[in-house]
Amino acid sequence: MARLTLTWLVLLGPMAAPAQQDLQFKEAGVCARCHVISVVEWGMSRHRTANTDCIACHGASAGHVDDERNNIKPERMPQGEAIAALCAGCHTAGCPKTRQKAACQTCHHFHALVDPKAPPAVPDQSLARSRPAPATRSPKPPPRITVAGVTLVLIPGGEFDMGSERFPTSRPVHTVRVEPFYLAATEVTQAQWTAIMGSNPNAHKGDQFPVEKVSFEDAQAFLARLNSKVPGGGFRLPAEAEWEFAAADAQPVAGGTAPQPAGSGPPNKFGLHEMLGNVWEWCSGSYLPYPSQSGDSALGVLRGGGFVDPPDLLHAAFRHSERPTRRLRYNGLRLARSADPR
Amino acid sequence: MLHDALSRRSFLAAAGLWPGCVASPPPAFASVPEYRRGGMVYRRLGHTDLWVSLLSFGSHTDPADRVKVAPGKTALTPQGQTRRDRIITHAFDLGVNLLDVYETESQLEPAARLVQGRRDKVLISLAHDVTNQGIDRACRLFGHVDLYRFHTADIDGPALETWDRLRKAQQAGKIRAIGIATHIERTMSLALQELEGLDYLFFPYNFIHARADYSLFLPQALRQGVGLIAMKPLASGSIVKLDPRARSGAAPEREHLQLWQRRNRPILPAAVAELTKTLDRLPDETLCQAALRFVYSRPFLATAITGMFDDQWLEENHQALARYQQMRAEERAALDAASRLARRLGARWLPEHYRWLEEQWRA
């Protein structure tokens, strides 16, 4: 269903687009009769706005569309390094992320210029010539408030597809509605923890580093003390769905032997730092299988991955669980607050 | 499934650990699900969806074919590797579906080559290099790992972190079942309490080293749906040394330590005579086969994992499955006699690096 929706988006999306893109979509619509996924990939990538369409790579391929038995092949079917040569047409300096100039498909699929879940950190200047002019008005940053020294970002809420088919424990992908809420821009730091709890559990000390070695029960104790000190505080842990919704578009923080200072990584589209990597973040509620999440579990939920984990686990949909009493040196927390605390 | 109201006496009787009933037939209530296909029996590994052959192929390579390639790492000579590959292939043909692989013996790549084309029929079990890199490397070679464990003497901070790493890899779909291997009973019980999502447990188990006080650990493991895998079912290959009929050179790890050599014979005449007499009543069976049948007949075990260095060992171990369900009185008598002989020998019947087993594990 999701694929179908995306196809319609690709096919119907350009109604208000410039004439050239309109033409591109018309041609792609013909290709999409058979090559649905390829066109969806293309439509979701920056190829769409970079004057690169099906014909640019595969040629006009006269007769290919009409031949139902597929006897007439496309004019060009670039393979291997021939694809890299096509990429180099725009990306003269190589991959914007890795500077790699060969074997582009090892990271990108054939028709996707950018992995939507891991966009390049550095904009590719060589693309400027073919890009449409940027919008004159930048999007309005999400509203922020500061309560008791904690910067909270208003996450607007909405419906999204929670989970991932990639991980057994994140299946099935299911649609969830999240109400607007506040989430801290960074993980709780050691300075914040010490100010409330009077002690620092970390082995790796540093005021601006995230607090680690925190069990779920420790986190609850911290929240209770914080809320007792801040009138109307309403601080809590984010629900799993809230956390995953807010982690959209986040870039992983590189791992290593210790975490990075809180807030040192690039923000995601909501302005949240280190959603993926650094330390695992406790969520409220119990760890229960998707989608109903009914039943009872003695385990708490952790999200976001830690500095000890391999990059493939630093994924917005990856779920981990732990006993509420266990303190591991890469488990921390991030504060949340309801938009309308009652 | 184990009966809830199982008494200590009835459990020990089921496990064959009650004094004087070393190999009594176990009652049906203590059994894990199983089925037979061809000449092989398959049992379910705990609460997982994995069915493992009752005879599994162990990880140790033949020391006679080993060469040292780095500190703490060995490899097989080309001839030795060819021989091992042939024996493993033979085992697959006999229905063995669990292959344990040691990275420290350079067996990852050879095993990956060997299971190509039959990966869906073979379960790969790994133990070493429980780092993220090690797990990912194994996944690149095998697609995924079916059983991943780590050896530990205690359930402490580092062990909990290693366990957490395995759990994450399992949640990411890289591993199907996770477990630990330990020789220490306290660690086994701790693992059942502390390790969330424990799927299986490797522990030493044979007719001599089967502690009577398993009565706490085993029922708890079965209640929790933790699969039990017997390692050292032949006491690191030492049981063959107790067999006066063993052919020369069949001693494990090529030690040629035949207890029946002249220097041993005079000191144990009564025990040797008794064992010889009991074995004479088993003309079609070796002591090792009887020992394996003891392990096979324990209904709470998912599989027995044993190293096999030649085709004859494999054939013998496989043949022992043919009558696995009930042990005969003659077999029980032979095992009792062998147990008494081993007791009189002290720890000498074990290889030096396993002599500590004698104290820890004797029933």
Side-chain angles (χ1 to χ4, degrees):
Chain A
M1 181 55 90
R3 279 182 182 165
L4 199 61
T5 311
L6 284 169
T7 310
W8 280 110
L9 276 175
V10 169
L11 298 178
L12 302 177
M15 302 284 274
Q20 188 172 8
Q21 282 183 37
D22 201 0
L23 183 65
Q24 283 182 5
F25 261 101
K26 199 172 169 187
E27 288 162 352
V30 173
C31 302
R33 286 180 203 162
C34 298
H35 308 284
V36 178
I37 301 302
S38 302
V39 171
V40 168
E41 281 187 339
W42 168 83
M44 289 174 71
S45 77
R46 284 193 217 161
H47 274 133
R48 231 190 87 195
T49 52
N51 271 348
T52 305
D53 56 9
C54 308
I55 291 173
C57 293
H58 298 288
S61 307
H64 172 67
V65 175
D66 299 323
D67 174 33
E68 288 182 3
R69 292 184 185 275
N70 200 23
N71 289 316
I72 302 169
K73 303 289 181 193
E75 267 175 38
R76 294 192 296 273
M77 287 296 287
Q79 299 286 333
E81 289 315 299
I83 296 176
L86 286 167
C87 300
C90 295
H91 297 277
T92 50
C95 177
K97 200 171 176 184
T98 63
R99 297 294 164 209
Q100 189 176 316
K101 291 188 174 177
C104 306
Q105 312 97 280
T106 53
C107 301
H108 306 268
H109 199 247
F110 301 107
H111 302 95
L113 192 59
V114 171
D115 177 356
K117 287 179 181 154
V122 184
D124 187 4
Q125 299 303 325
S126 63
L127 278 178
R129 62 186 166 80
S130 55
R131 262 194 211 143
T136 49
R137 204 174 51 173
S138 58
K140 199 176 166 187
R144 290 171 171 241
I145 55 170
T146 302
V147 181
V150 180
T151 304
L152 296 159
V153 181
L154 180 65
I155 308 298
E159 221 172 57
F160 80 110
D161 284 346
M162 186 172 178
S164 167
E165 297 301 334
R166 188 172 152 185
F167 307 112
T169 50
S170 306
R171 297 174 193 151
V173 176
H174 54 293
T175 302
V176 171
R177 175 150 195 88
V178 171
E179 297 305 320
F181 69 105
Y182 284 102
L183 192 62
T186 66
E187 290 154 342
V188 171
T189 63
Q190 294 181 29
Q192 289 167 337
W193 183 273
T194 310
I196 300 298
M197 302 301 280
S199 62
N200 185 350
N202 285 49
H204 178 82
K205 300 260 194 280
D207 278 354
Q208 289 315 304
F209 286 90
V211 67
E212 321 150 12
K213 275 185 131 175
V214 172
S215 71
F216 181 82
E217 289 183 355
D218 293 338
Q220 294 299 335
F222 173 78
L223 289 166
R225 281 203 199 180
L226 178 63
N227 286 331
S228 68
K229 287 187 179 183
V230 181
F235 288 108
R236 59 175 174 82
L237 292 175
E240 224 184 327
E242 289 175 336
W243 190 96
E244 188 169 326
F245 182 79
D249 201 27
Q251 289 181 47
V253 177
T257 53
Q260 305 290 318
S264 61
N268 74 347
K269 68 176 182 183
F270 296 120
L272 306 171
H273 300 262
E274 290 98 38
M275 287 296 281
L276 300 179
N278 235 26
V279 293
W280 288 89
E281 298 172 16
W282 285 106
C283 289
S284 62
S286 304
Y287 181 83
L288 291 163
Y290 284 165
S292 65
Q293 293 200 276
S294 59
D296 196 20
S297 162
L299 299 176
V301 190
L302 287 154
R303 289 302 202 102
F307 60 91
V308 294
D309 295 300
D312 58 326
L313 299 193
L314 307 184
H315 191 285
F318 186 71
R319 312 174 75 204
H320 188 42
S321 58
E322 192 51 87
R323 293 189 183 187
T325 51
R326 188 152 287 161
R327 300 182 175 112
L328 294 176
R329 65 185 171 97
Y330 34 76
N331 293 347
L333 75 157
R334 183 185 297 263
L335 295 172
R337 192 172 184 248
S338 299
D340 180 20
R342 283 167 199 167
Chain B
M1 282 291 119
L2 200 69
H3 198 277
D4 284 342
L6 184 61
S7 69
R8 175 181 164 83
R9 183 182 293 262
S10 59
F11 179 79
L12 291 178
L17 300 171
W18 194 250
C21 62
V22 74
S24 61
F29 60 74
S31 59
V32 294
E34 68 173 37
Y35 68 89
R36 183 183 277 273
R37 184 179 177 188
M40 185 55 73
V41 175
Y42 299 90
R43 287 186 181 164
R44 190 173 189 164
L45 182 67
H47 53 209
T48 71
D49 59 356
L50 302 176
W51 292 82
V52 292
S53 52
L54 195 43
L55 170 63
S56 300
F57 205 101
S59 52
H60 276 299
T61 55
D62 190 340
D65 293 328
R66 277 187 212 152
V67 286
K68 197 168 183 177
V69 291
K73 190 160 185 176
T74 61
L76 288 177
T77 60
Q79 295 84 353
Q81 190 65 59
T82 306
R83 201 156 61 84
R84 181 175 171 84
D85 291 352
R86 194 194 65 235
I87 299 166
I88 293 174
T89 307
H90 185 185
F92 291 158
D93 293 341
L94 292 175
V96 171
N97 78 345
L98 178 63
L99 175 62
D100 197 37
V101 185
Y102 266 7
E103 195 267 336
T104 49
E105 297 186 15
S106 306
Q107 289 304 301
L108 250 61
E109 282 81 4
R113 279 197 302 274
L114 215 55
V115 299
Q116 263 178 15
R118 61 175 117 205
R119 183 66 187 89
D120 58 331
K121 298 182 182 68
V122 176
L123 302 173
I124 293 293
S125 162
L126 299 183
H128 291 280
D129 199 5
V130 194
T131 60
N132 290 324
Q133 294 82 355
I135 294 168
D136 286 348
R137 177 172 168 240
C139 288
R140 280 196 295 278
L141 284 168
F142 296 106
H144 66 274
V145 179
D146 299 286
L147 286 81
Y148 219 126
R149 71 183 185 279
F150 71 101
H151 290 272
T152 186
D154 201 1
I155 307 296
D156 50 7
L160 288 175
E161 281 194 14
T162 306
W163 185 251
D164 200 43
R165 200 176 306 131
L166 282 180
R167 283 186 64 220
K168 286 172 193 162
Q170 188 183 36
Q171 286 162 346
K174 298 176 185 179
I175 302 172
R176 295 177 72 184
I178 53 178
I180 65 156
T182 186
H183 294 86
I184 301 166
E185 193 183 1
R186 181 181 159 273
T187 308
M188 293 177 194
S189 297
L190 265 179
L192 293 176
Q193 290 167 28
E194 297 296 325
L195 300 184
E196 199 59 51
L198 183 72
D199 291 320
Y200 68 95
L201 215 149
F202 264 60
F203 70 115
Y205 192 85
N206 57 61
F207 74 94
I208 294 173
H209 299 134
R211 285 180 72 93
D213 49 2
Y214 271 170
S215 58
L216 294 176
F217 153 71
L218 286 178
Q220 183 60 29
L222 291 170
R223 259 198 300 274
Q224 288 182 214
V226 173
L228 296 170
I229 297 181
M231 58 178 171
K232 300 185 175 60
L234 297 175
S236 299
S238 299
I239 285 169
V240 72
K241 292 182 203 165
L242 300 174
D243 190 347
R245 297 180 310 190
R247 64 201 161 94
S248 178
E253 312 208 351
R254 298 291 190 265
E255 283 185 6
H256 297 286
L257 176 67
Q258 292 292 306
L259 297 167
W260 318 108
Q261 285 169 356
R262 210 172 304 152
R263 68 188 168 94
N264 284 327
R265 213 175 267 269
I267 60 168
L268 305 159
V272 171
E274 186 197 350
L275 177 57
T276 307
K277 199 169 130 190
T278 56
L279 284 171
D280 283 345
R281 290 190 217 130
L282 291 173
D284 57 345
E285 195 170 318
T286 66
L287 179 61
C288 281
Q289 284 181 310
L292 265 180
R293 283 174 28 68
F294 168 81
V295 179
Y296 292 154
S297 67
R298 305 299 96 182
F300 46 83
L301 296 173
T303 182
I305 201 152
T306 180
M308 290 173 273
F309 302 162
D310 71 31
D311 285 301
Q312 190 182 337
W313 293 12
L314 170 63
E315 293 281 357
E316 281 184 7
N317 295 349
H318 181 250
Q319 282 163 12
L321 274 167
R323 303 175 299 268
Y324 84 102
Q325 277 174 327
Q326 285 192 346
M327 295 194 75
R328 287 176 288 166
E330 294 86 350
E331 289 174 314
R332 292 200 292 273
L335 294 184
D336 282 337
S339 191
R340 281 193 288 275
L341 172 60
R343 189 184 295 275
R344 290 195 189 172
L345 285 166
R348 275 186 300 148
W349 69 290
L350 289 166
E352 272 184 33
H353 57 287
Y354 279 129
R355 285 187 183 166
W356 53 270
L357 265 183
E358 185 72 3
E359 282 181 16
Q360 291 220 359
W361 288 96
R362 184 175 276 281

